Amino acid sequence: LIQPVTPELLVSPSSQDGDLGSECPEDRGNWTGRLDFLLSCIGYCVGLGNVWRFPYRAYTNGGGAFLVPYFIMLAICGIPIFFMELSLGQFSSLGPLAVWKISPLFKGVGMGTILIVSLVAIYYNMIIAYVLFYLFASLTSDLPWQHCGNWWNTDLCLDHHVMKAGNTSFPVNITNTVSPSEEYWSRYVLHIQGSSGIGDPGRIRWNLCLCLLLSWTIVYLCILKGVKSSGKVVYFTATFPYLILVMLLIRGVTLEGAWKGIRFYLTPQFDHLLSSKVWIEAALQIFYSLGVGFGGLLTFASYNTFHQNIYRDTFIVTLGNAITSILAGFAIFSVLGYMSQELGVPVNQVAKAGPGLAFVVYPQAMTMLPLSPFWSFLFFFMLLTLGLDSQFAFMETIVTAVTDEFPYYLRPKKASFSAIVCIALFLMGLILTTEGGMYWLVLLDDYSAGFGLMVVVITTCLVVTRVYGIKRFCRDIHMMLGFKPGPYFRACWMVLSPATMMALLVYNIIKYQPSEYGSYRFPAWAEVLGILMGVLSCLMIPIGMVVAVLQEEGTLWEVGAFPAPPGFAALPTLFKAEAATPQLQSPKPLMVHMRKYGGITSYENTAIEVDREMEEEEE
């Protein structure tokens, strides 16, 4: 290969020729600290699902035996796709839209990703608003959901404190009763009795609206300067939840009856392993817990230096995420065991998943502890920090994707553009603050990131391995890390991961069940609307193909089969790799030189030689 030589026209941006620098987009920026990227990925992956979904899925699918399919699916599906997304982002230094320069025909995959992330960001921040509501409500000497007798309570409300004080010796039938925490959640926080269904949203709950506004304000302030600001915030938001989780775990296991809940959580039932449902549930937990397909991993990796060891980071984040989920299960079920003993009912009658665990069951358990407001505040503060990390990633994905498409116009105004995006998503989320807002949240949760997300991930995997080429992709990784991925990663990328995700997709379609919230069944038009949300993200792929063919010269096969000119994909990272060398202080002048005067530079020559060697290997 020809040694890089600095042409005469490669002047620094501070040169007297100001026209050269002015034609180049503003720098994307990079992580400013050594741990920024790693902590951001940990904060992104370790979210609310680790606390309120994994423990419930574990105990309903074989207890401790669930860990067998869980770790197998982590090895087959989780780790390989996670590593693929990080490699794509780091090598290209581009967001989820611009990265499809590797194959312009499939740019619709990036469009589908942005649509999915936007829908998820709308309702995910509403969940953070609920957490803020409970956080503020915990700042009192007596928790408001501790007793019955409030204006929002009904005759069905049963206060366990009164039962305990009365020394009730006979068994109480609680099937037709409601806990104070459940009525506080449904009748006070949501005020759901003011809505007859999803078609009747009712009035805006202004206390929830203000919490949603505060939530979006916090998110905006943390992403104001992109990864330079959010990369510093995660030093707190990604680590502090572990401190609280350990405190809750220690407090939980010291409670009377705690081991009853832990046995219920971990007792292995190996006969469940013969059921395909358990393996599908394990794969789904891995799929959504790691956040693959949402573009957050690719976006974070695009701000890395060229030689960042993402191979090591992949195993740290994925295994750390799994261990966190297991620890969260101990913290949750130890408290549920104590709660079941206090109420005199089996653990399975108090165990729930999702918002029911976070906003009904666990708050009720907190009222049974001494210093209940303190433990309640800690729990909801942990949920707040867990949720904010993921929301940072969603917003950074949207902003980075669009600014990379229009770097000359939007990068200098990234803060203003971020504000516009936050305001727009806040306004679209106002319907979630109404009395019937929970129905819309359930609809978004069930359909926005369902089969559409799986189609996006499957397509990404197939395009990278078949269209861009597995050998070229492995060569890219070799350029970054100094070694090529082994047979394990190649086999997963080529066969195992796509096949597993196809099985997930088929299973979800076959086992489709209409959405419901409690006893409420959604009307047909709401189901159709939800299905359209999922289908629309899939339709972005053929729409992108049509646009690519109209914009590019050549036939559909030529646009798709030849994803990029020789060495094209290598150029962005070669610019980044050489940016710090003494010969070339900034990549901007080189880009200007190529644009103005053409010709083959030493960097292009390097990329061409790399592809030429790869073609010789294929022959």
Side-chain angles (χ1 to χ4, degrees), residues 16-257:
Q16 294 179 355
D17 189 358
D19 292 337
L20 295 180
S22 63
E23 291 191 16
C24 296
E26 187 174 305
D27 285 332
R28 297 177 82 249
N30 293 99
W31 300 106
T32 56
R34 300 184 66 178
L35 294 177
D36 291 11
F37 168 72
L38 182 62
L39 290 177
S40 294
C41 286
I42 291 175
Y44 169 59
C45 296
V46 178
L48 298 174
N50 297 73
V51 175
W52 71 27
R53 281 200 175 128
F54 175 84
Y56 184 82
R57 269 190 172 145
Y59 101 82
T60 55
N61 290 283
F66 180 73
L67 298 179
V68 175
Y70 179 78
F71 279 102
I72 290 177
M73 288 301 173
L74 176 64
I76 292 177
C77 222
I79 294 175
I81 302 302
F82 194 96
F83 185 46
M84 172 182 281
E85 285 203 22
L86 293 187
S87 300
L88 273 177
Q90 180 164 305
F91 189 82
S92 66
S93 296
L94 297 171
L97 275 177
V99 74
W100 289 101
K101 290 177 182 178
I102 65 171
S103 181
L105 187 65
F106 293 93
K107 192 171 186 177
V109 176
M111 297 162 58
T113 300
I114 300 307
L115 176 61
I116 292 171
V117 173
S118 300
L119 292 174
V120 171
I122 292 173
Y123 81 83
Y124 202 85
N125 226 24
M126 189 65 228
I127 296 176
I128 298 176
Y130 291 143
V131 172
L132 285 171
F133 189 97
Y134 272 81
L135 189 70
F136 295 139
S138 301
L139 299 175
T140 179
S141 56
D142 290 316
L143 294 175
W145 56 85
Q146 188 166 353
H147 300 288
C148 299
N150 302 289
W151 66 262
W152 58 81
N153 292 124
T154 65
D155 295 336
L156 297 176
C157 183
L158 178 64
D159 191 344
H160 81 278
H161 294 90
V162 176
M163 292 170 49
K164 189 174 181 181
N167 294 320
T168 305
S169 58
F170 55 89
V172 179
N173 182 12
I174 66 170
T175 54
N176 295 323
T177 62
V178 182
S179 66
S181 62
E182 187 169 349
E183 289 200 337
Y184 179 82
W185 163 244
S186 61
R187 298 182 59 83
Y188 179 71
V189 178
L190 301 179
H191 203 263
I192 204 167
Q193 68 271 20
S195 169
S196 60
I198 192 171
D200 176 29
R203 297 172 298 176
I204 288 181
R205 299 281 292 158
W206 290 107
N207 46 9
L208 289 179
C209 183
L210 291 176
C211 286
L212 182 63
L213 178 62
L214 175 61
S215 177
W216 277 114
T217 303
I218 294 172
V219 171
Y220 172 69
L221 292 177
C222 292
I223 66 166
L224 180 61
K225 297 182 179 179
V227 294
K228 292 183 179 178
S229 55
S230 64
K232 298 306 177 188
V233 176
V234 294
Y235 278 82
F236 175 76
T237 57
T239 57
F240 195 69
Y242 284 96
L243 176 62
I244 301 179
L245 186 62
V246 170
M247 294 174 64
L248 292 174
L249 176 61
I250 294 174
R251 184 67 186 100
V253 297
T254 57
L255 293 171
E256 185 180 356

Side-chain angles (χ1 to χ4, degrees), residues 83 87 311 470-479 481-491 493:
F83 185 46
S87 300
Y311 182 79
I470 186 66
K471 289 188 176 180
R472 175 180 288 187
F473 185 59
C474 290
R475 178 62 61 87
D476 295 345
I477 295 174
H478 182 238
M479 290 175 63
L481 304 181
F483 62 88
K484 292 183 180 179
Y488 158 67
F489 280 104
R490 290 175 179 244
W493 290 335

Side-chain angles (χ1 to χ4, degrees), residues 417-471:
F417 178 68
S418 299
I420 294 173
V421 173
C422 289
I423 292 172
L425 295 182
F426 165 72
L427 294 176
M428 286 187 279
L430 283 179
I431 193 171
L432 303 179
T433 66
T434 61
E435 294 169 324
M438 177 52 66
Y439 300 124
W440 286 97
L441 191 145
V442 170
L443 192 71
L444 283 169
D445 186 34
D446 286 349
Y447 292 101
S448 62
F451 58 88
L453 181 64
M454 294 184 189
V455 170
V456 165
V457 177
I458 293 170
T459 306
T460 300
C461 199
L462 294 178
V463 171
V464 170
T465 55
R466 266 75 175 183
V467 180
Y468 185 68
I470 186 66
K471 289 188 176 180

Side-chain angles (χ1 to χ4, degrees), residues 21-26 403-413 591-592 595:
S22 63
E23 291 191 16
C24 296
E26 187 174 305
T403 53
D404 279 351
E405 281 294 292
F406 307 99
Y408 292 92
Y409 306 104
L410 294 181
R411 275 187 196 164
K413 305 172 183 177
M591 297 168 69
V592 174
R595 188 185 304 114

